[in-house]
Amino acid sequence: MLEIVNLHASIDNKVILNGINLKINLGEVHAIMGPNGSGKSTLSNVIAGHDGYDIISGDILFDGDSVLDFPPEKRAHLGLFLSFQYPVEIPGITVSNFIRTALNEIRKAKGEESLGASPMLKLMREKMKVLEMDKGFLSRSLNEGFSGGEKKRNEIFQMAMLEPKMAILDETDSGLDIDALRVVANGVNALRSDRNAFIVITHYQRLLDYIIPDFVHVLFNGKIVKSGGKELAIELEKRGYDWIKKEQK
Amino acid sequence: MKDRLSAFYWLNETQFAQASSEQITSQRRSAIEKFEIEGFPSVKDEEWKYTSLKKLITPDYLFPSPFVPLDQEEQIDFNDIKQFLVNDIDCYQVVFINGRYSSWLSETTHTNYDICTLGSAWKKYPEVVESYFNKLTKDDGPLVQLNTGLAWEGLYINVPKNIIVDKPIQVLYISTGDTPVFNQTRSLIILSEGSSAEIIERHHSLTNHETWTNAVDELHVGSNAKIHWVKLQHDSSNASLTQHSKIHQEKDSTAIVHTISTGGKLIRNNLDFSLTGKGAEARMFGLSLGSDRQLVDHHTRVDHIAPNCSSHEAYKGIYDESSRGVFNGKIYVHIDAQKTQAYQQNNNLILSEKATIDTKPQLEIFADDVKCTHGCTIGQLDEDALFYLRARGIRNKEAKALLMLAFANDAIADIQHPSLRVKLSQLIGRKLGVDMSNAL
Ligand SMILES: Nc1ncnc2c1ncn2[C@@H]1O[C@H](COP(=O)(O)OP(=O)(O)OP(=O)(O)O)[C@@H](O)[C@H]1O
Ligand SMILES: [Mg+2]
């Protein structure tokens, strides 16, 4: 469903993605690991349509069609979702207004009726229950003053509301305590089906005990240098990245 | 134009004199004489450095005479002005057309307090008017003097001790007619000890001709009294407003002023507070949305005269296209005003290369035990925030508007009536070209 073909991208003339190839089918979970600065967030941003990067060559296909020319909102309308590594704080917009606006914009783009206030609230309550979130969050300013863990939980809450086809979770586990990690992972697992797919970016194999991946990829210097099954993550946890870096030389 | 205005005064002086006391007439006369000497302010004047009145004073304005009843052209009915009123809150309503009172569009009262018009108060309450009129404005600049000389009508409120006005007072100043028109409006508001009132004010022009309203307000807020005043400056694109509002506050009084400037050609607000009694509190919020070639100029001034007073000022501006903003915030902490707390913040977004804002905080502090903070920012929309919203499916234009609304939000957050807040958000949304109904 999502296919990344020989993707090269740069920012300020600095090449960051160096020929990425990745194919993701419905029903699959792909984990991407890799050292700091290897380009994981850059890849996520480029897929989501951030216009701060120059695409030097390659392509991103969604259901077979190139989305390179699509603005971020259009990609979201197609079912793409990015859970940000660092969600932005936006004072003055409440969580509920934000999600309501987003969901209705997506419904509108799909030609569906917008959801009224009370079914919307009901849906929000249901999803928040799964994620064990206090409903007080709804009236708070978006991410403002949220703890690191609360921000991540809020990202997953948005994902649960928007029900994307292709979700990228960029280090959703960092900042979560052990209980929160379980809750968030359960939230993700509850959404898993053969009608969607996930990219899970993480530094820790622990998350992958909860969200069990079909594939694990290692990103290094803007390239996927190794792919394997979930046992690769266990090996990385034990051995670190040095041996992979050496293999590269 | 200066000569025509002064001729207008001398032509009408007998009528002014007949309709009010001698003392008032002599104040009018000396005000007009000051105006004759000084003329209109020019950009050479430090206070008017960024705002030129040159274009504003060129049209061949009609000066409506307060002593001539409204003519056929000026007659309007409720349907013409309904949209400019807040209709879902029960209010007293005072409507003026070209500086004259329209009784058939108004609902006034004299029962527990006076909510009526200055035009009737000259005769009805001469002692009260004499003891308050022009007390706060004597030393002001030429536009204020011009108003003191010529103004006849405007809102008059007098609330006795410990009385709470039970519903908001809505005042609407309409300009209309088939020529350019220059109106002087004047309000006098007296809140005695422990009383309180809430005012929603709006100016609106119904004509395609140039209109200019030169308004002056004097507010006396007694000890422990409270005024909440919302000024909605959402006029049409050929209407200009210069407004000087002077607020005199006594012990433990509170004054809250919201100035929402979203429409009009040239807007100049002078908003001055003097905190003369211990524990007085002034709060002012501004929101300016400029587009096209609009100019919104805010000059505010707080005089901390007594100790233990506080002032809180938060002004926001969003300027697009070729619009211009000016913010000048003066805070004077006088020598006896120990334990003053003053806060001032001016934040601006500039959305186009041609838009500009000149912002200048001006603090002069003569007491030593005070807490003053101030700051100003000029920036663009946060790109990361914009990407965040767009990545969630919110289209570019809507996302921008949502961020602007979020930026603007705390300028209206303190407005008490939810329905007024909603109306303001809608006005802002419409101004930003977006249907905000989803986001409310
Ligand atoms: N605006 C920018 N200008 C220059 N370099 C940048 C810019 N943005 C990112 N980079 C660089 O691109 C590289 C990849 O960054 P990226 O955030 O994608 O790494 P990452 O794999 O997500 O790292 P982490 O594990 O720490 O989250 C880094 O070296 C980073 O410094
Ligand atoms: Mg990263």
Side-chain angles (χ1 to χ4, degrees), chain A residues 45 49-50 71-73 76-77 81-82 84 88 90-93 97-98 100 102 104-106 108 142-143 155 158, chain B residues 382-399 402-403 405-407 409 437-440:
Chain A
N45 283 335
H50 196 296
E73 56 268 33
H77 298 163
F81 180 91
L82 170 59
F84 285 81
V88 191
I90 310 183
I93 300 181
N97 284 349
F98 173 60
R100 184 170 4 157
N104 278 335
E105 287 263 309
I106 290 174
K108 195 159 103 191
L142 190 55
N143 295 322
E155 293 290 288
Q158 293 168 37
Chain B
D382 178 353
E383 288 295 329
D384 290 336
L386 189 60
F387 177 60
Y388 189 58
L389 265 58
R390 295 179 72 187
R392 293 288 177 264
I394 303 171
R395 281 163 300 157
N396 192 26
K397 199 173 155 195
E398 275 70 16
L402 209 54
L403 288 177
L405 201 62
F407 170 83
N409 202 32
S437 51
N438 254 340
L440 291 171

Short mmCIF file of all heavy atoms in Angstrom, two decimals, chain A residues 45 49-50 71-73 76-77 81-82 84 88 90-93 97-98 100 102 104-106 108 142-143 155 158, chain B residues 382-399 402-403 405-407 409 437-440:
data_model
loop_
_atom_site.label_atom_id
_atom_site.label_comp_id
_atom_site.label_asym_id
_atom_site.label_seq_id
_atom_site.Cartn_x
_atom_site.Cartn_y
_atom_site.Cartn_z
N ASN A 45 8.70 12.66 8.17
CA ASN A 45 8.24 13.97 7.72
C ASN A 45 8.07 14.02 6.21
O ASN A 45 7.11 14.61 5.70
CB ASN A 45 9.24 15.06 8.13
CG ASN A 45 9.11 15.42 9.60
OD1 ASN A 45 8.06 15.23 10.20
ND2 ASN A 45 10.19 15.92 10.18
N GLY A 49 4.66 14.71 4.08
CA GLY A 49 4.50 15.85 3.16
C GLY A 49 5.08 17.16 3.65
O GLY A 49 4.69 18.23 3.17
N HIS A 50 5.99 17.11 4.60
CA HIS A 50 6.64 18.34 5.07
C HIS A 50 7.38 18.99 3.90
O HIS A 50 8.13 18.33 3.20
CB HIS A 50 7.62 18.00 6.19
CG HIS A 50 8.04 19.19 6.99
ND1 HIS A 50 8.76 20.22 6.43
CD2 HIS A 50 7.83 19.53 8.28
CE1 HIS A 50 8.99 21.14 7.37
NE2 HIS A 50 8.42 20.74 8.49
N PRO A 71 -0.05 17.99 -0.95
CA PRO A 71 0.22 18.66 0.33
C PRO A 71 -0.10 17.72 1.49
O PRO A 71 -0.80 16.72 1.29
CB PRO A 71 -0.73 19.85 0.31
CG PRO A 71 -1.85 19.43 -0.58
CD PRO A 71 -1.25 18.53 -1.61
N PRO A 72 0.40 18.03 2.67
CA PRO A 72 0.20 17.13 3.81
C PRO A 72 -1.27 16.78 4.06
O PRO A 72 -1.59 15.63 4.36
CB PRO A 72 0.77 17.91 4.99
CG PRO A 72 1.40 19.13 4.46
CD PRO A 72 1.22 19.21 3.01
N GLU A 73 -2.15 17.79 3.92
CA GLU A 73 -3.56 17.51 4.23
C GLU A 73 -4.15 16.47 3.29
O GLU A 73 -4.96 15.64 3.68
CB GLU A 73 -4.40 18.79 4.24
CG GLU A 73 -4.38 19.62 2.97
CD GLU A 73 -3.30 20.70 2.98
OE1 GLU A 73 -2.22 20.46 3.57
OE2 GLU A 73 -3.53 21.78 2.39
N ALA A 76 -3.13 13.15 4.39
CA ALA A 76 -3.93 12.75 5.55
C ALA A 76 -5.31 12.27 5.10
O ALA A 76 -5.86 11.32 5.64
CB ALA A 76 -4.06 13.91 6.53
N HIS A 77 -5.86 12.95 4.09
CA HIS A 77 -7.18 12.56 3.60
C HIS A 77 -7.15 11.15 3.00
O HIS A 77 -8.13 10.42 3.05
CB HIS A 77 -7.70 13.56 2.56
CG HIS A 77 -7.88 14.94 3.12
ND1 HIS A 77 -8.00 16.06 2.32
CD2 HIS A 77 -7.95 15.38 4.39
CE1 HIS A 77 -8.12 17.13 3.09
NE2 HIS A 77 -8.10 16.74 4.35
N PHE A 81 -1.11 8.94 8.56
CA PHE A 81 -1.08 9.57 9.88
C PHE A 81 0.33 9.50 10.43
O PHE A 81 0.97 8.45 10.38
CB PHE A 81 -2.03 8.87 10.83
CG PHE A 81 -2.05 9.46 12.21
CD1 PHE A 81 -2.96 10.47 12.53
CD2 PHE A 81 -1.17 9.02 13.19
CE1 PHE A 81 -2.96 11.03 13.81
CE2 PHE A 81 -1.16 9.58 14.47
CZ PHE A 81 -2.07 10.58 14.77
N LEU A 82 0.80 10.62 10.98
CA LEU A 82 2.11 10.63 11.62
C LEU A 82 1.96 11.00 13.09
O LEU A 82 1.45 12.08 13.41
CB LEU A 82 3.04 11.63 10.91
CG LEU A 82 4.37 11.95 11.59
CD1 LEU A 82 5.21 10.69 11.80
CD2 LEU A 82 5.17 12.97 10.77
N PHE A 84 3.84 12.33 15.96
CA PHE A 84 5.10 13.07 15.96
C PHE A 84 6.00 12.70 17.13
O PHE A 84 5.52 12.42 18.23
CB PHE A 84 4.80 14.57 16.03
CG PHE A 84 4.30 15.15 14.74
CD1 PHE A 84 2.97 15.03 14.37
CD2 PHE A 84 5.17 15.80 13.87
CE1 PHE A 84 2.50 15.55 13.18
CE2 PHE A 84 4.71 16.33 12.67
CZ PHE A 84 3.38 16.21 12.32
N VAL A 88 3.81 19.44 18.65
CA VAL A 88 3.90 20.89 18.87
C VAL A 88 2.86 21.33 19.88
O VAL A 88 1.73 20.85 19.89
CB VAL A 88 3.62 21.64 17.55
CG1 VAL A 88 3.97 23.10 17.68
CG2 VAL A 88 4.39 21.02 16.40
N ILE A 90 0.22 24.00 20.94
CA ILE A 90 -0.52 25.09 20.31
C ILE A 90 -1.52 25.68 21.30
O ILE A 90 -2.63 25.20 21.43
CB ILE A 90 -1.24 24.64 19.02
CG1 ILE A 90 -0.26 23.89 18.10
CG2 ILE A 90 -1.83 25.85 18.31
CD1 ILE A 90 -0.86 23.47 16.78
N PRO A 91 -1.11 26.73 22.02
CA PRO A 91 -2.03 27.36 22.95
C PRO A 91 -3.21 27.95 22.19
O PRO A 91 -3.04 28.44 21.08
CB PRO A 91 -1.19 28.48 23.59
CG PRO A 91 0.20 28.30 23.11
CD PRO A 91 0.19 27.39 21.94
N GLY A 92 -4.38 27.88 22.79
CA GLY A 92 -5.53 28.52 22.16
C GLY A 92 -6.39 27.60 21.31
O GLY A 92 -7.49 27.97 20.93
N ILE A 93 -5.90 26.40 21.00
CA ILE A 93 -6.76 25.42 20.32
C ILE A 93 -6.94 24.25 21.28
O ILE A 93 -5.95 23.69 21.75
CB ILE A 93 -6.10 24.89 19.02
CG1 ILE A 93 -5.84 26.03 18.05
CG2 ILE A 93 -6.98 23.83 18.36
CD1 ILE A 93 -5.22 25.59 16.73
N ASN A 97 -11.50 20.63 19.94
CA ASN A 97 -11.72 21.38 18.70
C ASN A 97 -10.80 20.93 17.59
O ASN A 97 -11.18 20.83 16.43
CB ASN A 97 -11.48 22.88 18.92
CG ASN A 97 -12.64 23.52 19.65
OD1 ASN A 97 -13.69 22.90 19.80
ND2 ASN A 97 -12.46 24.74 20.08
N PHE A 98 -9.58 20.67 17.98
CA PHE A 98 -8.58 20.23 17.01
C PHE A 98 -9.01 18.92 16.36
O PHE A 98 -9.07 18.78 15.14
CB PHE A 98 -7.24 20.08 17.73
CG PHE A 98 -6.16 19.49 16.90
CD1 PHE A 98 -5.73 20.11 15.72
CD2 PHE A 98 -5.53 18.31 17.29
CE1 PHE A 98 -4.71 19.56 14.96
CE2 PHE A 98 -4.51 17.77 16.54
CZ PHE A 98 -4.10 18.39 15.37
N ARG A 100 -11.94 17.47 16.39
CA ARG A 100 -13.21 17.61 15.68
C ARG A 100 -12.97 18.20 14.28
O ARG A 100 -13.50 17.72 13.29
CB ARG A 100 -14.15 18.50 16.48
CG ARG A 100 -15.50 18.61 15.86
CD ARG A 100 -16.50 19.29 16.76
NE ARG A 100 -15.89 19.78 17.99
CZ ARG A 100 -16.41 20.76 18.72
NH1 ARG A 100 -17.50 21.36 18.32
NH2 ARG A 100 -15.84 21.16 19.83
N ALA A 102 -10.18 18.22 12.55
CA ALA A 102 -9.42 17.29 11.72
C ALA A 102 -10.32 16.17 11.19
O ALA A 102 -10.34 15.90 9.98
CB ALA A 102 -8.26 16.70 12.53
N ASN A 104 -13.54 16.04 10.85
CA ASN A 104 -14.56 16.50 9.89
C ASN A 104 -13.96 16.93 8.55
O ASN A 104 -14.58 16.77 7.51
CB ASN A 104 -15.43 17.59 10.50
CG ASN A 104 -16.53 16.99 11.37
OD1 ASN A 104 -16.93 15.84 11.16
ND2 ASN A 104 -17.02 17.75 12.34
N GLU A 105 -12.75 17.46 8.60
CA GLU A 105 -12.08 17.79 7.33
C GLU A 105 -11.80 16.52 6.53
O GLU A 105 -11.97 16.50 5.31
CB GLU A 105 -10.76 18.52 7.60
CG GLU A 105 -10.94 19.95 8.08
CD GLU A 105 -10.80 20.96 6.93
OE1 GLU A 105 -9.82 20.88 6.19
OE2 GLU A 105 -11.71 21.80 6.79
N ILE A 106 -11.39 15.48 7.23
CA ILE A 106 -11.09 14.22 6.54
C ILE A 106 -12.38 13.61 6.00
O ILE A 106 -12.44 13.16 4.86
CB ILE A 106 -10.35 13.24 7.49
CG1 ILE A 106 -8.94 13.77 7.75
CG2 ILE A 106 -10.29 11.84 6.89
CD1 ILE A 106 -8.15 12.98 8.78
N LYS A 108 -15.07 15.23 5.22
CA LYS A 108 -15.50 16.08 4.11
C LYS A 108 -14.74 15.71 2.83
O LYS A 108 -15.33 15.56 1.76
CB LYS A 108 -15.24 17.55 4.46
CG LYS A 108 -15.96 18.55 3.57
CD LYS A 108 -16.09 19.89 4.27
CE LYS A 108 -15.10 20.89 3.74
NZ LYS A 108 -15.00 22.11 4.54
N LEU A 142 -4.04 22.37 23.10
CA LEU A 142 -3.34 21.27 22.45
C LEU A 142 -1.88 21.16 22.88
O LEU A 142 -1.06 22.04 22.57
CB LEU A 142 -3.43 21.50 20.93
CG LEU A 142 -2.98 20.38 20.01
CD1 LEU A 142 -3.71 19.08 20.32
CD2 LEU A 142 -3.21 20.78 18.56
N ASN A 143 -1.59 20.08 23.60
CA ASN A 143 -0.22 19.76 24.05
C ASN A 143 0.41 20.78 24.99
O ASN A 143 1.52 20.57 25.47
CB ASN A 143 0.73 19.55 22.86
CG ASN A 143 0.34 18.35 22.03
OD1 ASN A 143 -0.09 17.34 22.57
ND2 ASN A 143 0.45 18.46 20.72
N GLU A 155 -1.25 11.81 20.97
CA GLU A 155 -1.04 11.47 19.56
C GLU A 155 -1.80 10.19 19.19
O GLU A 155 -2.45 10.12 18.15
CB GLU A 155 0.46 11.28 19.26
CG GLU A 155 1.31 12.53 19.36
CD GLU A 155 1.03 13.52 18.25
OE1 GLU A 155 1.42 13.28 17.09
OE2 GLU A 155 0.39 14.55 18.54
N GLN A 158 -5.44 10.78 18.92
CA GLN A 158 -5.80 11.34 17.60
C GLN A 158 -5.82 10.24 16.54
O GLN A 158 -6.72 10.20 15.69
CB GLN A 158 -4.80 12.42 17.19
CG GLN A 158 -4.85 13.65 18.08
CD GLN A 158 -3.67 14.57 17.85
OE1 GLN A 158 -3.22 14.74 16.72
NE2 GLN A 158 -3.16 15.17 18.90
N ASP B 382 3.72 29.97 13.06
CA ASP B 382 4.65 28.91 13.38
C ASP B 382 4.52 27.77 12.35
O ASP B 382 3.50 27.10 12.28
CB ASP B 382 4.34 28.42 14.80
CG ASP B 382 5.23 27.27 15.23
OD1 ASP B 382 5.99 26.76 14.40
OD2 ASP B 382 5.14 26.89 16.41
N GLU B 383 5.58 27.58 11.58
CA GLU B 383 5.54 26.58 10.50
C GLU B 383 5.34 25.16 11.03
O GLU B 383 4.66 24.34 10.41
CB GLU B 383 6.83 26.63 9.68
CG GLU B 383 6.96 27.86 8.78
CD GLU B 383 5.92 27.90 7.67
OE1 GLU B 383 5.49 26.82 7.20
OE2 GLU B 383 5.51 29.01 7.30
N ASP B 384 5.94 24.87 12.17
CA ASP B 384 5.80 23.52 12.73
C ASP B 384 4.36 23.25 13.14
O ASP B 384 3.82 22.17 12.93
CB ASP B 384 6.70 23.33 13.96
CG ASP B 384 8.16 23.29 13.56
OD1 ASP B 384 8.45 22.94 12.39
OD2 ASP B 384 9.02 23.60 14.41
N ALA B 385 3.75 24.29 13.73
CA ALA B 385 2.35 24.14 14.14
C ALA B 385 1.47 23.97 12.90
O ALA B 385 0.54 23.15 12.89
CB ALA B 385 1.91 25.35 14.94
N LEU B 386 1.79 24.73 11.87
CA LEU B 386 1.00 24.64 10.64
C LEU B 386 1.11 23.23 10.03
O LEU B 386 0.11 22.64 9.61
CB LEU B 386 1.50 25.69 9.64
CG LEU B 386 0.66 25.89 8.39
CD1 LEU B 386 -0.76 26.32 8.74
CD2 LEU B 386 1.30 26.95 7.49
N PHE B 387 2.32 22.70 10.04
CA PHE B 387 2.50 21.34 9.49
C PHE B 387 1.74 20.32 10.33
O PHE B 387 1.11 19.41 9.80
CB PHE B 387 3.99 20.99 9.45
CG PHE B 387 4.27 19.60 8.96
CD1 PHE B 387 3.85 19.20 7.69
CD2 PHE B 387 4.93 18.67 9.76
CE1 PHE B 387 4.09 17.91 7.23
CE2 PHE B 387 5.17 17.38 9.31
CZ PHE B 387 4.75 16.99 8.05
N TYR B 388 1.78 20.50 11.63
CA TYR B 388 1.07 19.58 12.53
C TYR B 388 -0.42 19.53 12.17
O TYR B 388 -1.02 18.47 12.01
CB TYR B 388 1.28 20.07 13.96
CG TYR B 388 0.80 19.15 15.06
CD1 TYR B 388 1.28 17.86 15.17
CD2 TYR B 388 -0.11 19.61 16.01
CE1 TYR B 388 0.86 17.03 16.21
CE2 TYR B 388 -0.52 18.79 17.05
CZ TYR B 388 -0.03 17.50 17.14
OH TYR B 388 -0.45 16.68 18.18
N LEU B 389 -1.01 20.71 12.00
CA LEU B 389 -2.43 20.77 11.67
C LEU B 389 -2.72 20.17 10.29
O LEU B 389 -3.68 19.42 10.11
CB LEU B 389 -2.92 22.23 11.69
CG LEU B 389 -3.56 22.72 12.99
CD1 LEU B 389 -2.60 22.59 14.16
CD2 LEU B 389 -4.02 24.16 12.86
N ARG B 390 -1.87 20.51 9.34
CA ARG B 390 -2.10 20.00 7.98
C ARG B 390 -1.90 18.50 7.91
O ARG B 390 -2.63 17.80 7.22
CB ARG B 390 -1.17 20.72 7.00
CG ARG B 390 -1.48 22.21 6.89
CD ARG B 390 -0.53 22.89 5.94
NE ARG B 390 -0.83 22.52 4.55
CZ ARG B 390 -0.06 22.88 3.51
NH1 ARG B 390 1.02 23.60 3.72
NH2 ARG B 390 -0.39 22.52 2.30
N ALA B 391 -0.95 18.00 8.68
CA ALA B 391 -0.71 16.56 8.69
C ALA B 391 -1.91 15.81 9.28
O ALA B 391 -2.04 14.61 9.11
CB ALA B 391 0.55 16.23 9.47
N ARG B 392 -2.77 16.56 9.98
CA ARG B 392 -3.98 15.93 10.51
C ARG B 392 -5.17 16.10 9.56
O ARG B 392 -6.30 15.80 9.92
CB ARG B 392 -4.34 16.53 11.87
CG ARG B 392 -3.34 16.20 12.96
CD ARG B 392 -3.42 14.74 13.39
NE ARG B 392 -2.40 14.42 14.38
CZ ARG B 392 -1.21 13.89 14.10
NH1 ARG B 392 -0.89 13.60 12.85
NH2 ARG B 392 -0.34 13.62 15.05
N GLY B 393 -4.90 16.65 8.40
CA GLY B 393 -5.96 16.74 7.40
C GLY B 393 -6.63 18.10 7.31
O GLY B 393 -7.57 18.28 6.54
N ILE B 394 -6.17 19.06 8.09
CA ILE B 394 -6.79 20.39 8.05
C ILE B 394 -6.13 21.19 6.93
O ILE B 394 -4.91 21.34 6.90
CB ILE B 394 -6.64 21.09 9.41
CG1 ILE B 394 -7.26 20.20 10.50
CG2 ILE B 394 -7.30 22.46 9.38
CD1 ILE B 394 -6.99 20.67 11.92
N ARG B 395 -6.96 21.68 6.01
CA ARG B 395 -6.40 22.35 4.83
C ARG B 395 -5.66 23.62 5.21
O ARG B 395 -5.96 24.27 6.20
CB ARG B 395 -7.52 22.65 3.82
CG ARG B 395 -7.90 21.42 2.99
CD ARG B 395 -9.23 21.60 2.32
NE ARG B 395 -10.26 21.81 3.35
CZ ARG B 395 -11.40 22.42 3.14
NH1 ARG B 395 -11.69 22.91 1.97
NH2 ARG B 395 -12.27 22.56 4.12
N ASN B 396 -4.72 23.96 4.34
CA ASN B 396 -3.81 25.06 4.60
C ASN B 396 -4.50 26.32 5.11
O ASN B 396 -4.15 26.89 6.14
CB ASN B 396 -3.05 25.34 3.30
CG ASN B 396 -1.88 26.28 3.54
OD1 ASN B 396 -1.34 26.33 4.64
ND2 ASN B 396 -1.51 27.02 2.52
N LYS B 397 -5.51 26.75 4.38
CA LYS B 397 -6.18 28.01 4.71
C LYS B 397 -6.89 27.92 6.08
O LYS B 397 -6.79 28.82 6.91
CB LYS B 397 -7.20 28.30 3.61
CG LYS B 397 -7.63 29.72 3.56
CD LYS B 397 -8.49 29.96 2.34
CE LYS B 397 -9.39 31.14 2.60
NZ LYS B 397 -10.48 31.24 1.65
N GLU B 398 -7.57 26.79 6.27
CA GLU B 398 -8.25 26.58 7.55
C GLU B 398 -7.24 26.47 8.69
O GLU B 398 -7.46 26.98 9.77
CB GLU B 398 -9.09 25.30 7.50
CG GLU B 398 -10.48 25.45 6.92
CD GLU B 398 -10.47 25.72 5.43
OE1 GLU B 398 -9.42 25.49 4.78
OE2 GLU B 398 -11.51 26.17 4.90
N ALA B 399 -6.14 25.78 8.40
CA ALA B 399 -5.12 25.60 9.43
C ALA B 399 -4.54 26.95 9.84
O ALA B 399 -4.37 27.24 11.03
CB ALA B 399 -4.02 24.67 8.93
N LEU B 402 -7.09 28.80 11.86
CA LEU B 402 -7.20 28.21 13.19
C LEU B 402 -6.05 28.69 14.08
O LEU B 402 -6.24 29.02 15.24
CB LEU B 402 -7.17 26.68 13.04
CG LEU B 402 -7.91 25.85 14.07
CD1 LEU B 402 -9.35 26.27 14.19
CD2 LEU B 402 -7.83 24.37 13.69
N LEU B 403 -4.87 28.74 13.51
CA LEU B 403 -3.72 29.22 14.28
C LEU B 403 -3.86 30.70 14.63
O LEU B 403 -3.51 31.13 15.72
CB LEU B 403 -2.42 29.00 13.50
CG LEU B 403 -1.95 27.55 13.38
CD1 LEU B 403 -0.69 27.47 12.53
CD2 LEU B 403 -1.70 26.95 14.77
N LEU B 405 -6.71 32.26 14.95
CA LEU B 405 -7.76 32.33 15.96
C LEU B 405 -7.19 31.94 17.33
O LEU B 405 -7.51 32.56 18.34
CB LEU B 405 -8.91 31.40 15.56
CG LEU B 405 -10.25 31.70 16.18
CD1 LEU B 405 -10.74 33.08 15.78
CD2 LEU B 405 -11.28 30.66 15.76
N ALA B 406 -6.34 30.93 17.32
CA ALA B 406 -5.72 30.49 18.57
C ALA B 406 -4.83 31.60 19.14
O ALA B 406 -4.84 31.88 20.33
CB ALA B 406 -4.89 29.23 18.33
N PHE B 407 -4.11 32.25 18.25
CA PHE B 407 -3.25 33.36 18.65
C PHE B 407 -4.09 34.49 19.24
O PHE B 407 -3.74 35.12 20.24
CB PHE B 407 -2.48 33.84 17.42
CG PHE B 407 -1.73 35.14 17.59
CD1 PHE B 407 -0.47 35.14 18.17
CD2 PHE B 407 -2.27 36.34 17.16
CE1 PHE B 407 0.23 36.33 18.31
CE2 PHE B 407 -1.58 37.52 17.30
CZ PHE B 407 -0.32 37.52 17.88
N ASN B 409 -7.07 34.25 20.47
CA ASN B 409 -8.06 33.79 21.43
C ASN B 409 -8.00 34.47 22.80
O ASN B 409 -9.03 34.88 23.34
CB ASN B 409 -7.92 32.29 21.60
CG ASN B 409 -9.18 31.67 22.13
OD1 ASN B 409 -10.27 32.15 21.84
ND2 ASN B 409 -9.03 30.63 22.91
N SER B 437 -17.25 27.49 12.17
CA SER B 437 -18.28 26.81 12.96
C SER B 437 -17.80 25.45 13.46
O SER B 437 -18.20 24.99 14.51
CB SER B 437 -19.56 26.67 12.15
OG SER B 437 -19.27 26.09 10.90
N ASN B 438 -16.92 24.83 12.71
CA ASN B 438 -16.36 23.56 13.16
C ASN B 438 -15.50 23.72 14.39
O ASN B 438 -15.39 22.82 15.21
CB ASN B 438 -15.46 22.99 12.06
CG ASN B 438 -16.14 21.84 11.37
OD1 ASN B 438 -17.06 21.25 11.92
ND2 ASN B 438 -15.70 21.53 10.18
N ALA B 439 -14.85 24.85 14.44
CA ALA B 439 -13.81 25.02 15.45
C ALA B 439 -14.35 25.62 16.74
O ALA B 439 -13.62 25.81 17.68
CB ALA B 439 -12.69 25.90 14.90
N LEU B 440 -15.65 25.94 16.76
CA LEU B 440 -16.17 26.60 17.96
C LEU B 440 -16.72 25.60 18.96
O LEU B 440 -17.17 24.57 18.61
CB LEU B 440 -17.25 27.61 17.56
CG LEU B 440 -16.69 28.81 16.80
CD1 LEU B 440 -17.81 29.66 16.25
CD2 LEU B 440 -15.80 29.64 17.70
#
